Amino acid sequence: ARVLVNAAGPWAADFLAGPLSKPPSQRLRRVRGSHIVIRRRMPDARALLLQAAEGRVLFMIPYEGDFTLIGTTEVEVTEALRHEVASAEEIAYLCAQTAVWLREPVRPEEVVWHYAGVRPLLDDGEAGGASALTRDYRLDLSAPDGAPLLTVWGGKLTTFRCLAEEAVDKLGPVLGDPRPAWTARAKLPGAETERDAAIAPWLPPALRQRLASTYGSRLATLLGSASGLEDLGVEVAPGLFERELHYLMQETWARCAEDVLWRRTKLGLHLSAPEREQVALWFQRFSS
Ligand SMILES: Cc1cc2nc3c(=O)[nH]c(=O)nc-3n(C[C@H](O)[C@H](O)[C@H](O)COP(=O)(O)OP(=O)(O)OC[C@H]3O[C@@H](n4cnc5c(N)ncnc54)[C@H](O)[C@@H]3O)c2cc1C
């Protein structure tokens, strides 16, 4: 490789220590955040921002039409990162802290799904809880023994464009291609053209709405030359046709039912366990 970018998020230091045997130049604190999903509580599309007892901010957001998303927690992860899940304590915490503000408190039994992630937070040496840590990022470019190595420390979703632009600004000269930045006004994939209201009028309205909001202008690619539901292949689960599964495999590298149901879409929330199983079986049949 002419250059290597370590964008392993919360695992950035592990990547340096493992494959590259390099000491980290920054310290990260890894802080798990968990979310719970319950059946819809909100009367309309507005979200609520609530304050927890210790001053942290919690949110309740209308989610996927029929649900409400509640988050989040901050739990320092000190061991090696594995498959992080919301603990029973975190679920109880979210229920208890939101209960202060709700006429009808959320009960842990109401939770239909939960998920957790780990934030890569730069350790700026300040004492205090995770809420007080900076959400800023740092980019370190070094040229160890071989190709130049750029490591991304920290970062937010909201700043990813600035971060990416800065990263490419640093790498351009290294690659002998110091082009001026051009992405600030570039549209993201799926937003290249206005959504076309006339696209696929033959799709049932609910399916059309879901596909359009998931894929934006890429829906035209997904549908290809299809001119009716019969062109979308087998309906593997309600509202999920083979054509979408093939698109997700080819364009987004989905490899299993979990990728489709929970990572690329949130269809898992809307389907029953036997329907989700149908998707898993489809992948099994397809890959055998
Ligand atoms: C609970 C929670 C709430 C958040 N809320 C917000 C928010 O409201 N607003 C906001 O802007 N940001 C938020 N963030 C932060 C945001 O999600 C992260 O900052 C962002 O995902 C960082 O992006 P990244 O690409 O650097 O790392 P990641 O998204 O973590 O991606 C790193 C990738 O590297 C892969 N990887 C790791 N090691 C290796 C290896 N050795 N080889 C190959 N691949 C590897 C991982 O599998 C992963 O896919 C939140 C994060 C969490 C956890």
Side-chain angles (χ1 to χ4, degrees):
R2 288 166 67 201
V3 54
L4 191 63
V5 179
N6 170 12
W11 295 268
D14 304 61
F15 179 71
L16 289 179
L20 299 184
S21 309
K22 297 274 170 226
S25 57
Q26 306 285 336
R27 278 163 52 98
L28 280 186
R29 275 168 66 184
R30 306 191 291 190
V31 179
R32 187 171 69 232
S34 294
H35 302 76
I36 56 177
V37 177
I38 58 170
R39 295 254 156 225
R40 185 182 169 133
R41 278 287 190 100
M42 328 290 280
D44 54 37
R46 282 175 291 183
L48 298 179
L49 273 186
L50 312 172
Q51 194 144 37
E54 69 275 27
R56 296 185 57 243
V57 169
L58 303 177
F59 57 75
M60 293 180 72
I61 303 179
Y63 192 61
E64 285 286 304
D66 303 328
F67 300 91
T68 296
L69 175 71
I70 304 175
T72 121
T73 58
E74 287 181 339
V75 178
E76 197 112 14
V77 183
T78 46
E79 294 155 23
L81 294 185
R82 293 199 185 88
H83 186 61
E84 296 294 316
V85 291
S87 67
E89 291 78 32
E90 287 169 282
I91 295 174
Y93 165 86
L94 291 171
C95 292
Q97 293 298 326
T98 49
V100 179
W101 304 99
L102 301 175
R103 205 170 289 145
E104 200 190 320
V106 174
R107 289 170 291 113
E109 315 83 82
E110 282 179 73
V111 174
V112 294
W113 185 54
H114 55 74
Y115 64 93
V118 177
R119 306 174 182 90
L121 302 183
L122 269 180
D123 189 350
D124 47 13
E126 294 290 318
S131 304
L133 286 174
T134 176
R135 260 53 175 175
D136 213 345
Y137 61 82
R138 222 157 279 162
L139 298 176
D140 281 346
L141 182 63
S142 63
D145 320 325
L149 168 69
L150 182 76
T151 296
V152 179
W153 298 101
K156 299 272 298 170
L157 294 173
T158 37
T159 50
F160 86 91
R161 274 196 157 190
C162 306
L163 186 158
E165 194 172 291
E166 241 180 85
V168 176
D169 282 349
K170 279 186 184 289
L171 294 177
V174 173
L175 293 167
D177 188 7
R179 266 184 271 186
W182 57 272
T183 53
R185 306 188 77 79
K187 301 234 167 104
L188 290 172
E192 292 97 342
T193 52
E194 288 293 310
R195 261 193 226 157
D196 184 353
I199 195 167
W202 45 269
L203 280 170
L207 178 59
R208 197 156 168 272
Q209 166 63 31
R210 178 180 76 75
L211 293 176
S213 62
T214 307
Y215 301 105
S217 55
R218 289 176 155 189
L219 179 56
T221 315
L222 188 156
L223 293 175
S225 59
S227 58
L229 279 183
E230 63 283 2
D231 296 328
L232 299 184
V234 173
E235 188 172 12
V236 178
L240 179 62
F241 290 81
E242 276 184 313
R243 183 173 286 242
E244 185 177 358
L245 292 172
H246 285 298
Y247 175 86
L248 287 171
M249 288 173 71
Q250 276 152 22
E251 301 293 326
T252 75
W253 311 323
R255 285 168 30 179
C256 59
E258 292 248 305
D259 283 345
V260 169
L261 297 175
W262 301 108
R263 302 190 181 106
R264 309 296 189 272
T265 76
K266 292 288 175 279
L267 275 173
L269 276 173
H270 303 275
L271 299 177
S272 65
E275 289 163 350
R276 294 196 296 265
E277 185 56 26
Q278 287 302 319
V279 184
L281 286 173
W282 186 89
F283 268 94
Q284 258 173 34
R285 272 199 304 272
F286 190 81
S287 49
S288 64

